[in-house]
Amino acid sequence: MSLFRLDASILPATSASRSLADLVEREWLTAHPDSVVTRRDLAADPIPATAWADAVTAGFVGDDERTERQREARALAATLADELIGAEALLFAIPLYNYGISQHVKTWFDLAYTDPRIDPQGTALRGKPATLVTVLGGNYAPGTPKEGWDHSTAWLRRVLADVWGLDLRVVERPFTLVGVNPALDAFTDAAAALKAKAETDAVAYGREVAATRRSSAA
Ligand SMILES: Cc1cc2nc3c(=O)[nH]c(=O)nc-3n(C[C@H](O)[C@H](O)[C@H](O)COP(=O)(O)O)c2cc1C
């Protein structure tokens, strides 16, 4: 029994995404105290930016023609895929940076996706229970001035749920910069309510995922 957890905050000491993911993880470990948690921290240990192209181009030549870098990239892609395939449940904690995902996250996704076991025809990840925690400094909800500027959450839903086929739950906490950026002070009450809702969702989804595995393992 194992949980795979991916973190992507570049500021772990104050990370809202990590705090919410901790709530999900706690529910998982409460239900499965002997479970292993496999961790990958993309900010502390970034995937080399060259690995994706090396892994892709390695697929166009025979094994005996591959460069050392191409071999290493393929091996790393297999490790990333092993982490996803080997876990009973998945947890992703991913902040919004510059209106999208960080290059850390994109490189991780792209490289993992080169592994043939998790391509769109693959079934290795289909139906696997997963929780995505997404945190946004601002608020991009319908009717807000920057509606549509969050290009992270929709993309993550698309690739994790629709492309990889995960059974995905999403915990979303907007307005994490309220209390940090004085220009957002008018939104203190709204931000507190959104934080409370995200924490409630994190606990509920953590329990749900843990129970999903318990009943399917029975
Ligand atoms: C370099 C950088 C870029 C950011 N870009 C955005 C952004 O485009 N939109 C936004 O709403 N928040 C942005 N933020 C705020 C983060 O999304 C917010 O602080 C979030 O809580 C970070 O995740 P963490 O708390 O898990 O570290 C940015 C933060 C940093 C450090």
Side-chain angles (χ1 to χ4, degrees), residues 60-186:
F60 302 146
V61 295
D63 192 41
D64 52 339
E65 295 171 80
R66 287 181 184 139
T67 66
E68 194 50 35
R69 258 180 42 178
Q70 287 174 321
R71 285 175 207 282
E72 285 172 9
R74 279 171 63 90
L76 184 51
T79 299
L80 301 184
D82 286 345
E83 289 171 351
L84 294 164
I85 294 166
E88 273 77 24
L90 309 175
L91 171 58
F92 308 100
I94 302 181
L96 176 69
Y97 289 131
N98 297 337
Y99 307 105
I101 52 160
S102 65
Q103 55 90 6
H104 293 149
V105 174
K106 187 65 162 60
T107 303
W108 166 81
F109 175 85
D110 287 345
L111 186 60
Y113 195 35
T114 64
D115 188 281
R117 291 170 294 168
I118 55 174
D119 73 6
Q121 284 75 44
T123 54
L125 297 181
R126 211 144 287 279
K128 191 171 291 242
T131 308
L132 165 66
V133 173
T134 172
V135 297
L136 326 169
N139 190 346
Y140 304 86
T144 59
K146 286 202 167 118
E147 176 181 353
W149 286 46
D150 168 13
H151 294 284
S152 172
T153 310
W155 183 84
L156 286 164
R157 280 182 189 273
R158 180 67 74 200
V159 296
L160 297 177
D162 300 334
V163 179
W164 283 0
L166 300 176
D167 173 18
L168 189 71
R169 292 141 191 84
V170 181
V171 177
E172 184 171 344
R173 183 182 161 200
F175 266 160
T176 64
L177 287 180
V178 173
V180 178
N181 178 354
L184 297 174
D185 279 355

